[in-house]
Amino acid sequence: MLQLSYIRENKEDVLKRLAIKNFKDAESIIDSILKLDDNRKLAQRQADDVKAEANGLAKQIGEMMKSGKKEEAETLKLKTTELKQHEKQFDDQLKAIEAEIQKLLVTVPNTPNLTVPKGKTPEDNEVVNEVGVIPVLHDKAVPHWELTTKFNLIDFELGVKLTGAGFPVYKGKGAKLQRALINYFLDKATSKGYNEVQVPILVNADSGYGTGQLPDKEGQMYHCQVDDLYLIPTAEVPITNMYRDVMLKESDLPIKNCGYTPCFRREAGSYGKDVRGLNRLHQFDKVEIVQITQPEKSYETLETMREFVCSLLQDLELPYRTLKLCGGDMSFGSALTYDLEVWSAAQQRWLEVSSVSNFETFQTNRLKCKYKDANGKTQFAHSLNGSALALPRIVASLLENNQTVDGIKIPKVLVPYTGFDFID
RNA sequence: GGAGAAAUGGCAGAGUGGUCGAUUGCGGCAGUCUUGAAAACUGUUGUACCGUGAGGUACCUGGGGUUCGAAUCCCUAUUUCUCCGCCA
């Protein structure tokens, strides 16, 4: 959520940036917000004045009662009854305006960084680099959904029976490979100073609002209505919300957390060949990294996070490319996002495996996560997060890229974790 | 799941209808003393909003109510603790 004072002071800049994100009706919404805020100020002043008067009278009544001037007190009481009605009226008015402002404010996306490329579709994303060698497969090479069946690694049909499409059952070496990747990712993150946390995978609505999934992505999350809890779409939600309503000290920063969780996404509206096999699932595993930093350090931090994720892909010997997302392809709350995509050799396409973003104060404003700087001034911290990494598409490209006529090679770095170096 | 108790500032913990944004201690910050530090002593120390300012308003877990006036009384939600039951 943008800060109202920031919008007021930088209206032109905000509009210019929102245009990069192709946010429709930006000007009319911003104008409505500012106008409502003017009304809010007026309403508060009226409410405060009435309350001040009532408070003063109550104090007088108290003194009169004490000194035995009962009759005078009774006359004053009559006066306050009238004031009370005004008070309620102004209060209701104020509350209504505030609710209206909030309702509009949460629909405004974060302002992108000025270096974000203009554009509307994934085709407009800027390719930052391409690393690694695209493998040339043998004649009989097949996509991963055939390999997982052939080597009995994943049973998609069984998942359909247990739950539905998009909930695969991993078996044998397939299951072990999952565990190996998770452990490898966590070990590497903790070796870089990230503190490992294990968090709930169901969160309440406050947490959903805190990181911006609500109200923007309401329909994308599984919702347990009986208890009004949401299954997390990413560990970002619980991990970042650990700092909701928290006042940090500057010496606490940067905060670096990592955590493994399953992730749940309804993916309403997705279908077709792009969702085959492991390409798009309703439940998948992911290790997430989250940082909270001082504002002036967040972009530097974003780069180190991106480099960290790249190092994982290099270790896994997967060819990848880095994209700087254009305004139209960025998420609601992000100010700058890098996507990392691995090459899927049998499908002949790039698969997104990580998204690394700087949210600046967009989340911390909602979370009310502040810190005291060296001058004793409190201000919002910046929050960042990135996938490091999401498993399914990593598995897809590992299997496809490393297939030989006899079986599948496991990258060296994973062998200590899997206990095998070949699947056949 | 049943019965009871509780929720106050960064922390601990007073406060049971008016003079309470809230005693006190610890912690933090500043100063005195000291070569420096510790100890001791002195002062200071919540957040948000409105107002050019003086100042005003709100907040004692959240929400509602009673009252001229609520941290204090009532209702409700949530959480915690104790006892009982159940249980990976």
Side-chain angles (χ1 to χ4, degrees):
Chain A
M1 188 165 66
L2 296 177
Q3 291 167 256
L4 224 163
S5 56
Y6 181 82
I7 296 178
R8 187 172 281 288
E9 283 159 30
N10 306 278
K11 185 181 155 188
E12 292 312 312
D13 184 53
V14 166
L15 287 176
K16 192 170 134 201
R17 288 177 193 241
L18 287 177
I20 300 175
K21 265 202 175 173
N22 310 308
F23 179 55
K24 280 182 194 146
D25 304 325
E27 184 147 16
S28 77
I29 290 179
I30 295 295
D31 281 341
S32 307
I33 290 173
L34 291 177
K35 199 169 172 191
L36 280 167
D37 193 42
D38 287 336
N39 295 343
R40 189 200 107 247
K41 288 181 182 182
L42 182 68
Q44 180 171 348
R45 205 158 156 191
Q46 290 171 322
D48 283 0
D49 284 349
V50 176
K51 283 178 191 173
E53 196 179 345
N55 285 347
L57 287 176
K59 210 169 233 178
Q60 281 182 42
I61 293 172
E63 277 159 22
M64 286 174 182
M65 297 294 250
K66 214 171 248 178
S67 54
K69 298 177 188 161
K70 285 223 168 116
E71 280 164 36
E72 284 178 51
E74 288 303 322
T75 11
L76 269 190
K77 272 193 193 179
L78 290 176
K79 208 168 161 189
T80 53
T81 326
E82 193 188 330
L83 274 181
K84 257 184 94 176
Q85 281 172 358
H86 289 287
E87 197 177 320
K88 178 134 178 53
Q89 196 185 322
F90 286 131
D91 260 350
D92 290 347
Q93 197 186 343
L94 185 60
K95 268 186 200 166
I97 296 172
E98 278 173 348
E100 217 171 320
I101 292 174
Q102 187 70 11
K103 205 170 140 194
L104 283 180
L105 212 47
V106 294
T107 65
V108 180
N110 197 5
T111 48
N113 185 281
L114 285 174
T115 67
V116 165
K118 289 200 171 79
K120 291 189 174 160
T121 65
E123 281 73 48
D124 299 319
N125 293 334
E126 180 187 318
V127 179
V128 177
N129 62 14
E130 239 182 83
V131 180
V133 183
I134 304 288
V136 180
L137 300 181
H138 62 86
D139 294 345
K140 302 246 168 77
V142 291
H144 70 269
W145 52 84
E146 290 186 29
L147 294 167
T148 52
T149 304
K150 182 177 174 189
F151 295 104
N152 198 24
L153 301 173
I154 299 176
D155 193 330
F156 290 98
E157 286 74 27
L158 189 54
V160 170
K161 176 171 125 182
L162 299 181
T163 310
F167 293 90
V169 176
Y170 301 84
K171 292 175 154 180
K173 284 186 171 175
K176 193 78 185 280
L177 180 60
Q178 293 285 112
R179 199 144 56 85
L181 284 164
I182 293 164
N183 284 336
Y184 165 65
F185 291 150
L186 284 173
D187 282 354
K188 182 112 183 195
T190 52
S191 79
K192 293 289 180 189
Y194 288 92
N195 181 42
E196 184 178 344
V197 292
Q198 207 174 75
V199 290
I201 57 180
L202 282 117
V203 294
N204 56 30
D206 281 348
S207 293
Y209 278 98
T211 32
Q213 280 71 23
L214 292 175
D216 184 50
K217 294 232 163 54
E218 173 95 57
Q220 287 296 338
M221 288 193 287
Y222 288 97
H223 184 202
C224 307
Q225 300 200 347
V226 181
D227 296 295
D228 195 21
L229 295 173
Y230 295 84
L231 274 86
I232 58 171
T234 158
E236 163 201 342
V237 179
I239 295 179
T240 312
N241 269 281
M242 296 197 300
Y243 303 94
R244 171 151 50 85
D245 295 319
V246 167
M247 175 72 82
L248 296 161
K249 287 181 288 216
E250 187 157 24
S251 57
D252 295 332
L253 303 175
I255 287 168
K256 301 172 73 175
N257 285 315
C258 65
Y260 153 73
T261 66
C263 302
F264 303 88
R265 298 184 184 181
R266 294 188 61 232
E267 302 292 2
S270 300
Y271 55 89
K273 72 173 166 45
D274 284 357
V275 307
R276 249 187 119 173
L278 293 167
N279 287 351
R280 175 157 284 150
L281 300 172
H282 288 304
Q283 176 179 335
F284 63 96
D285 297 291
K286 179 160 63 66
V287 171
E288 183 81 0
I289 52 175
V290 175
Q291 289 211 39
I292 304 209
T293 72
Q294 292 99 319
E296 61 274 19
K297 293 192 180 156
S298 68
Y299 278 95
E300 193 186 312
T301 301
L302 181 68
E303 294 306 315
T304 65
M305 288 171 73
R306 177 171 75 85
E307 282 159 22
F308 172 70
V309 176
C310 289
S311 78
L312 296 173
L313 295 171
Q314 278 162 27
D315 285 358
L316 293 171
E317 301 162 47
L318 294 172
Y320 69 90
R321 66 176 188 176
T322 308
L323 301 177
K324 193 176 198 175
L325 294 194
C326 73
D329 204 26
M330 286 170 74
S331 75
F332 186 72
S334 171
L336 182 61
T337 297
Y338 291 110
D339 267 11
L340 290 142
E341 300 185 329
V342 294
W343 180 251
S344 168
Q347 300 183 72
Q348 291 284 302
R349 54 188 280 230
W350 295 100
L351 299 177
E352 181 196 335
V353 291
S354 176
S355 194
V356 188
S357 303
N358 186 356
F359 291 82
E360 297 187 355
T361 61
F362 192 80
Q363 292 182 329
T364 52
N365 183 27
R366 291 183 172 214
L367 294 164
K368 295 197 199 78
C369 171
K370 301 181 180 179
Y371 76 101
K372 250 191 177 83
D373 68 16
N375 304 320
K377 202 183 131 205
T378 58
Q379 56 176 311
F380 289 116
H382 279 193
S383 70
L384 306 95
N385 65 56
S387 349
L389 290 159
L391 267 69
R393 295 175 192 158
I394 290 288
V395 170
S397 97
L398 273 182
L399 298 179
E400 292 182 9
N401 295 13
N402 295 340
Q403 61 183 303
T404 66
V405 187
D406 304 318
I408 298 155
K409 286 183 294 185
I410 298 296
K412 269 196 218 86
V413 72
L414 283 182
V415 174
Y417 291 91
T418 54
F420 52 84
D421 60 4
F422 202 72
I423 295 172
D424 54 10

